[in-house]
């Protein structure tokens, strides 16, 4: 069954429920799952395009939705939540938050496999290989 997109009001109601505590009931599993579906439909395509364009990396749709949910949990008591509630485009602002988070995470981890990782991996392959290395030719006599 294809569920309708949440209105901004519905999204704000969800945000209010996330605080839980004494005055709220918190978010039930089915409500969290409903949000994840909304995030996949509302912000994932935007986030995927921007992350690919800005850092050249692809991201998983479910992973993006989970990051969005976790950001909402983290911001339950800070100014980001305040702006999400007051913004005329809360889904757009959430997409911006997710893009910023993913870019920061990518920046912190992009060097993990970088050239040094490739060099070490290639050295390991070379050491494990039983084949002789290919030596470069001079190229002067038409041979490679």
């Amino acid at each position: 069954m294809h569920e309708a997109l949440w209105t901004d009001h519905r999204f704000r109601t969800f945000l209010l429920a996330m605080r839980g505590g004494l005055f709220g009931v918190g978010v039930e599993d089915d409500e969290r799952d409903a949000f994840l579906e909304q995030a996949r439909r509302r912000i994932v395509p935007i986030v995927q395009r921007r992350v690919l364009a800005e850092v050249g990396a692809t991201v998983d749709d479910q992973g993006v939705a989970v990051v969005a949910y976790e950001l909402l949990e983290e911001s339950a008591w800070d100014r980001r939540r305040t702006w999400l509630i007051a913004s005329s485009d809360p889904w757009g602002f959430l997409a911006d938050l997710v893009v910023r988070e993913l870019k920061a995470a990518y920046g912190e981890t992009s060097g993990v496999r970088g050239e040094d990782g490739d060099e070490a991996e290639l050295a390991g392959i070379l050491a494990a290989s039983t084949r002789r290395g290919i030596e470069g030719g001079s190229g002067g006599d038409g041979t490679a």
Side-chain angles (χ1 to χ4, degrees), residues 12-67:
R12 289 181 183 102
T13 301
F14 176 78
L15 288 172
L16 293 172
M18 287 194 83
R19 272 200 183 167
L22 296 173
F23 302 108
V25 295
V27 175
E28 300 291 331
D29 288 346
D30 59 337
E31 190 71 0
R32 183 200 64 234
D33 293 342
F35 168 79
L36 293 173
E37 177 59 28
Q38 290 296 313
R40 279 192 296 274
R41 295 175 62 202
R42 297 289 297 256
I43 69 168
V44 165
I46 297 163
V47 171
Q48 287 176 323
R49 280 192 302 271
R50 286 185 52 194
V51 170
L52 182 60
E54 295 175 25
V55 298
T58 58
V59 291
D60 177 72
D61 59 341
Q62 180 66 17
V64 169
V66 170
V67 168

Side-chain angles (χ1 to χ4, degrees), residues 4 12 14-15 19 24 32 52 56 59 71 75 79 84-85 87-88 92 100 103 106 110-112 117 128 135:
R12 289 181 183 102
F14 176 78
L15 288 172
R19 272 200 183 167
R32 183 200 64 234
L52 182 60
V59 291
L71 282 172
S75 65
R79 290 186 176 137
L84 279 164
I85 290 172
S87 172
S88 62
R100 282 186 253 160
K103 285 174 57 178
Y106 179 82
S110 64
V112 170
E135 298 188 24

Side-chain angles (χ1 to χ4, degrees), residues 8 11-12 15-16 78-91 93:
D8 291 348
F11 181 44
R12 289 181 183 102
L15 288 172
L16 293 172
D78 68 24
R79 290 186 176 137
R80 293 176 293 180
R81 178 182 176 272
T82 301
W83 188 248
L84 279 164
I85 290 172
S87 172
S88 62
D89 183 16
W91 289 105
F93 181 61

